[in-house]
Amino acid sequence: MTVGVARRVLTGLVASAVTAVVRGAFDHQAPGGQARWTRTNHRGEPISLLEGPAVAAGLLAAGLVGAPSPRAAVALTLATGSGAAFGLVDDLGEDSSSRRKGLRGHLGALARGELTTGGLKVLGIGGGALVAAAVATPVHRADGTRRSTVGWLADVVASGALIASSANLVNLLDLRPGRALKAATLVAAPLALGPGGGAGAGASVLGAVGAAMDQDLAEADMLGDGGANALGATLGTAVVLSTPRPVRLACLAVVVGLTVASEKISFTQVIERTPVLRDIDGWGRRPVDPPADRSG
C-alpha cells in the first residue's frame, strides 16, 4: 500500500509545523526550566536539548498522517515513541559521574548487573523496536496464505534489530552541528520519493529536519538522545515498511557494521580526512575559530 504525492507533502508540512510550534512553545516554558535542558557543546558553549522533543513530536504527529495503514501507524508510533522516551530518560537522568561510553559500555554495565540510564535506553528502544517490527511484519503473504512462524519471527527479529540499530547510529552522528540531520536527510529523501509504504515516514523526517536545521547549524540546539533516537527509529521503520527482505538485511549489515566500527574509530576523524564528507559535514556550520596568534 503506497502513499500519494499530496499526502506525502501534507505529511512533511505537518512534521515541520509541529516541530516548529513545539520548539517555539518550549522557548516560553520548558518542562522543568531551561537550565534542565542546557548542555555544553564541542566548543564549550551552552546548547539546548529542546530540539529533541520538538522533533519527536513532529515525527509522531506526521507519522499518523503519512502512514499507509493503521498497522503502519502503530508501528511508527511505537518505534518513534520508544526512541524519544528512552532517549529523553538518558538525556535528563544520566549520571555523569559514572558515564558509560558507547553501546559496548552500556552492555558491559548490564552484564555486570548495573542498570544505567544508557542501559535502560538500550533495553527500552530494543523492546519497542521489536514490538514495532512485529506489528509492521505481515503474518500473511500477498496471496493470503499464512507465513510460517519461523519465517515471520526471523523477519521480526531482523527488522527490530534494524530499527533499534538505526536509532543508535543516528545518535552516534549527533556530535557536530547538523551532522545527524544531514545524514537523516540523505536516507529519508529516497524513501520519501519511492513507492514503498515508508514514503510517509520519509517525508515526516524531511519535514522535521527542515524545521530544526537552522537552529542546529547555528549551534543553539541539538537533537540529544531523545531526538536522535526518535529520528533514527523512524528511518529504520520507514525502511522496514518500504523494502523487501534482502534490502532490509543489507541495510542491517551496513548499520551494524558502522556501529561496530564506531567503537574503534572516530567518525569525526574519518570525516575530517575525507574531502567530500568534510565539505558536506561543514555546510552551513559556523567556522572553527583559528588558534590565537601567540607570536611576539
Side-chain angles (χ1 to χ4, degrees):
M1 190 173 182
T2 60
V3 178
V5 174
R7 194 166 166 196
R8 299 182 202 197
V9 172
L10 176 62
T11 300
L13 292 174
V14 168
S16 180
V18 172
T19 299
V21 168
V22 171
R23 183 63 188 90
F26 285 155
D27 277 336
H28 295 286
Q29 186 173 1
Q34 296 288 344
R36 188 183 188 195
W37 300 88
T38 301
R39 298 294 183 272
T40 301
N41 70 3
H42 67 289
R43 295 181 192 267
E45 299 173 351
I47 191 168
S48 175
L49 293 174
L50 287 167
E51 175 186 323
V55 165
L59 293 172
L60 286 167
L64 298 177
V65 175
S69 67
R71 179 185 291 270
V74 172
L76 281 164
T77 300
L78 287 168
T80 305
S82 62
F86 288 99
L88 287 172
V89 167
D90 199 26
D91 278 334
L92 300 178
E94 182 181 30
D95 182 0
S96 59
S97 66
S98 60
R99 186 173 182 179
R100 300 294 185 270
K101 293 286 189 179
L103 186 61
R104 183 170 58 182
H106 297 315
L107 293 177
L110 284 172
R112 295 189 298 272
E114 181 184 353
L115 183 60
T116 63
T117 56
L120 180 62
K121 182 179 73 170
V122 170
L123 295 174
I125 293 178
L130 278 174
V131 176
V135 173
T137 304
V139 178
H140 296 88
R141 301 183 182 88
D143 61 5
T145 58
R146 188 176 181 86
R147 300 179 57 192
S148 70
T149 301
V150 173
W152 181 81
L153 284 175
D155 273 351
V156 168
V157 171
S159 294
L162 176 57
I163 294 169
S165 57
S166 297
N168 182 63
L169 181 59
V170 173
N171 191 35
L172 292 175
L173 294 173
D174 190 37
L175 294 177
R176 292 294 185 272
R179 180 179 294 172
L181 296 179
K182 291 172 187 175
T185 298
L186 291 175
V187 176
L191 290 168
L193 296 172
S204 73
V205 169
L206 294 180
V209 166
M213 184 68 84
D214 283 350
Q215 287 291 91
D216 202 294
L217 288 174
E219 303 186 25
D221 283 355
M222 65 180 290
L223 285 166
D225 287 16
N229 288 145
L231 198 62
T234 300
L235 285 171
T237 308
V239 173
V240 168
L241 293 171
S242 287
T243 61
R245 181 189 296 166
V247 175
R248 294 197 301 272
L249 293 177
C251 289
L252 176 60
V254 170
V255 173
V256 170
L258 289 172
T259 301
V260 172
S262 73
E263 299 286 342
K264 299 292 186 181
I265 63 174
S266 164
F267 286 165
T268 295
Q269 291 179 2
V270 172
I271 289 169
E272 287 298 321
R273 292 196 299 262
T274 310
V276 174
L277 294 179
R278 185 173 64 244
D279 290 344
I280 295 173
D281 191 51
W283 172 81
R285 186 186 300 166
R286 286 168 52 194
V288 177
D289 296 331
D293 184 1
R294 299 182 182 275
S295 62

